Every structure is written in structure tokens, then in C-alpha cells.
Amino acid sequence: MRQILVAGNWKMNLLQSQGVALSQALAAKYPSSAAVEILICPAFPYLSPIGTAVRGSAVQLGAQNLYFAPQGAFTGEVSGDMLKDVGCGWVLVGHSERRQFFGEQDELLAKKVSAGLAHGLKVIYCVGEQLADRKAGQTEAVLAKQLAGLDQVSAEQMANVVVAYEPMWAIGTGVTATTEQAQQAHVFLRGQLKSRYGEAVAAATRILYGGSVKPDNALELLSQSDVDGALVGGAALKADSFTAIIEAGIQAQTLKG
Ligand code: 13P
């Protein structure tokens, strides 16, 4: 049974006071354990104060990126060690905005995934096709290729990896993949995990959906049998909308038994 994970990717939003207030509100709502896993990924400068705000609650802390080298002359970069040091348990790797605006490719991403795992972080590895890929019938080919970012990950390490399917045409656009499109992509990804790692790992690995997840579509998406959580952008920036999505996750978890 896969536990639903509701993750908020705050991207480059919220100043310290806003982020701390939001994380305090979430920690107050989910003070101990919750039926689903809850994660927030603030910007680097605020990881430490926000980590303090959620400490002891059910809300976990993650970063949006890392660099693969352990330390050294890499101006502007942040290592896995540093993320652990400020209390992160998770890191996002390969978000489409990193691929699109910062030119990150699968070979680099594979190193980042390995570095995250080596530093004891859980990794959310993101994949997703562009609209042109989908129109050209290339969705599955693109997703299969992007999974090269997991090439250095062993079957045992997959226990600390979550895959996120985020179709680029659905990110920040208000256009959500239909439940059928999401379920279909997730089934495809799980099939790919099966050929890479075998049945048991494929069945145990969580695959999140991301792209315009909102309170009003979360339950339907999260109720799909292969949708094991949500990676939420815009709707994660306010306590009421993010909480509504977490509650939809709790409901979906109950429905799935
Ligand atoms: P939106 O929920 O704003 O579409 O963003 C999705 C996303 O990119 C999360 O990582």
C-alpha cells in the first residue's frame, strides 16, 4: 500500500515572514502524524527558519534543487550535505523549470539524484513532456528517456525515490491533465520502473502528479489507482488551498483502503 504524499513546491515565491507564517499554519493543522505524508519545499534562504517552524509536526522539509559535488569551488551552488545540515529530508531533482530555464539534462540530473541519495535525502525525480511532444504522440518516448536520470539508482535505493509526472503544458497554466491522461502516464511510468527494477519496486514506488493541482480537482486525481500524491505549485502557497489538497489526499487514501 503506497502512502499518498502531498508536496508543495513553492518555487521562487514567498519572503521569509510569509513562508514562516504559512509553515506555522500547516504545522498547527498537522501537529503530529497525518494519514498522508506532507512536504514543503521553500527557497534555499528560508529552509532553516521554516525547518524550525515545522519541527516536530507532520510537515516535512525539502529543497528544490542541489548540486552533485560534495563541496568546493562551485559558486552559487548548494550541496546535499548543506541541505541535510539545515534539516531537509527531501530534495526535488529535474523539475521541468530546471530543465527548461537552466538547461539541466538527464546526465547531470542522474548525478544530482545519486548525490541526494548519498547524503541521505529522499529524492523526488520529476519528468514530463511538452505540449508538442504530446501532440506528436511522443509522450511515452520522452518520459522513458527522462528516466535516464535514475540510471545510477539501485533497486534498494528506490525506496528513497519518488517519481513526479508533471506535463509541462499543465504547469502554472490552469490546464490540468485529465484523470485519464494522468493515470495513463503513471501506468506507463510504473511499467518502466518494472522493467528497470522488477515488480516489487515498481509496485512500491510512489508516482506523484503535478500540474495545476487545485482543491477542486485534487480528489479526482488522487483517487486514480496509480496516482500516489501531488506535487503542487501555485495552490501550495496558501494555507487554505494547500490544506484542502492535503484533506483530499487523506480522503483518497481512505478510499484506496
Ligand atoms: P502548478 O501547480 O502551479 O501548476 O505547478 C506545478 C509544479 O510545477 C509543481 O512542481
Side-chain angles (χ1 to χ4, degrees), residues 173-229:
T173 57
V175 180
T176 318
T178 64
T179 49
E180 293 76 22
Q181 286 170 326
Q183 170 66 14
Q184 203 175 9
H186 285 224
V187 167
F188 174 75
L189 287 167
R190 205 174 300 286
Q192 293 290 301
L193 294 177
K194 185 176 167 191
S195 35
R196 283 170 171 260
Y197 297 109
E199 179 80 52
V201 169
T205 303
R206 289 178 290 185
I207 305 177
L208 313 184
Y209 170 78
S212 297
V213 177
K214 308 288 176 203
D216 62 1
N217 60 25
L219 181 60
E220 202 188 346
L221 285 161
L222 292 169
S223 299
Q224 300 301 304
S225 55
D226 287 278
V227 177
D228 310 311

Side-chain angles (χ1 to χ4, degrees), residues 4 6 215 218-220 222-223 243-253:
I4 286 178
V6 179
L219 181 60
E220 202 188 346
L222 292 169
S223 299
T243 300
I245 294 169
I246 295 168
E247 292 299 313
I250 293 170
Q251 218 179 322
Q253 186 83 69

Side-chain angles (χ1 to χ4, degrees), residues 90-132:
W90 294 79
V91 65
L92 305 181
V93 174
H95 191 278
S96 69
E97 287 145 20
R98 300 299 315 168
R99 295 176 187 264
Q100 189 181 7
F101 302 131
F102 304 99
E104 297 195 358
Q105 295 186 356
D106 297 324
E107 200 182 331
L108 169 71
L109 297 173
K111 292 182 184 170
K112 291 190 174 202
V113 170
S114 291
L117 294 171
H119 287 100
L121 295 162
K122 293 181 185 177
V123 172
I124 299 181
Y125 181 67
C126 308
V127 296
E129 82 285 3
Q130 302 191 37
L131 187 56

